[in-house]
Amino acid sequence: MTKPIRLMLVDDQAMVRAGFRMVLDAQSDMVVAAEATNGQEALDRLRPDPGAIDLVLMDIRMPRLDGVAATTEIMGFPSPPRVLVLTTFDLDEYVYAALRAGAAGFLLKDAGPEELLSAIRAVHGGDSVVAPSATKRLLEAVLPSLPGAADSDRDRLQALTPREHEVLIAVGRGLSNSEISAALFLAEPTVKTHIGRVLAKLGLRDRVQMVVLCYETGLVIPGDG
């Protein structure tokens, strides 16, 4: 029997945590193993055994320690759990910061139960961009007001082959593996191989950070694609 996905809920509102718990604990493949009211409490609970939690549902705006700082700290743990950011705000610069810090994606708090459950299963299964179009929209909104990429970020791109460069841009535009496969006339396993090589060469954690890098370096510009 497959082990259930062990979840931690991090939110300063008790009613929000209770609502999520009711939905999540009703699933045969999920269990809420821990809760925290702020980022610092989440770190304190995770630090002794980060591997005890598979996925953290992380609020952004909390007292004491916010979700961005907490995500940054969690990513420094050995074998850290994946982090799915939850926000009330559709276009929130804090979410962008959390994605840069290593969060696997983000979801609006008013998402329906099925969308929440699908997102959790997708992130746990290794997918990173929960909603590519939403992530793209977020980046388009906040990136113009943020500092540009360092020259070192652009220099890293020179390590890529022309095909890897094409795949990186396609990911940055929010295309799924199947869409990239069709657009570039590649088999899906080949697309996955290219993505793995891009991640390794550029020192990126996941697909989300590929999207972020594309926007920061100008490979994809707001409104592109």
Side-chain angles (χ1 to χ4, degrees), residues 12-218:
D12 59 328
Q13 298 183 46
M15 288 298 291
V16 171
R17 296 197 310 276
F20 281 132
R21 176 183 278 276
M22 182 173 65
V23 173
L24 300 173
D25 277 344
Q27 308 305 308
S28 60
D29 62 340
M30 299 181 192
V31 59
V32 177
E35 294 186 22
T37 60
N38 58 65
Q40 186 58 56
E41 187 177 336
L43 294 177
D44 293 343
R45 291 177 180 271
L46 282 169
R47 191 170 283 111
D49 185 11
I53 297 296
D54 299 310
L55 191 150
V56 178
L57 293 174
M58 179 75 75
D59 188 22
I60 285 289
R61 303 188 182 195
M62 296 178 290
R64 196 174 177 198
L65 189 70
D66 65 34
V68 175
T71 298
T72 301
E73 293 286 335
I74 289 171
M75 290 301 110
F77 288 164
S79 301
R82 292 173 71 76
V83 176
L84 178 59
V85 170
L86 299 172
T87 179
T88 307
F89 307 94
D90 194 355
L91 298 175
D92 189 336
E93 68 275 15
Y94 292 101
V95 177
Y96 168 79
L99 294 177
R100 290 197 66 188
F106 79 95
L107 196 66
L108 297 181
K109 284 186 178 179
D110 62 2
E114 288 306 314
E115 187 176 355
L116 172 65
L117 298 173
S118 295
I120 290 172
R121 292 180 179 118
V123 169
H124 181 255
D127 289 340
S128 294
V129 180
V130 175
S133 60
T135 302
K136 180 179 176 181
R137 192 168 67 251
L138 169 79
L139 295 175
E140 288 175 349
V142 303
L143 271 175
S145 62
L146 295 172
D151 289 340
S152 58
D153 289 329
R154 297 187 181 91
D155 290 343
R156 283 192 296 163
L157 298 177
Q158 296 178 11
L160 303 180
T161 66
R163 180 61 88 184
E164 290 164 354
H165 198 268
E166 287 180 319
V167 170
L168 173 60
I169 292 173
V171 171
R173 288 175 173 161
L175 273 63
S176 66
N177 285 358
S178 61
E179 289 170 334
I180 296 172
S181 172
L184 299 182
F185 304 101
L186 297 171
E188 274 198 60
T190 304
V191 172
K192 292 179 182 178
T193 297
H194 283 310
I195 288 174
R197 288 174 179 164
V198 170
L199 293 172
K201 287 183 177 182
L202 301 183
L204 303 175
R205 288 190 186 94
D206 53 36
R207 198 181 187 102
V208 167
Q209 292 200 330
M210 290 174 68
V211 176
V212 170
L213 182 66
C214 280
Y215 276 80
E216 287 186 329
T217 56

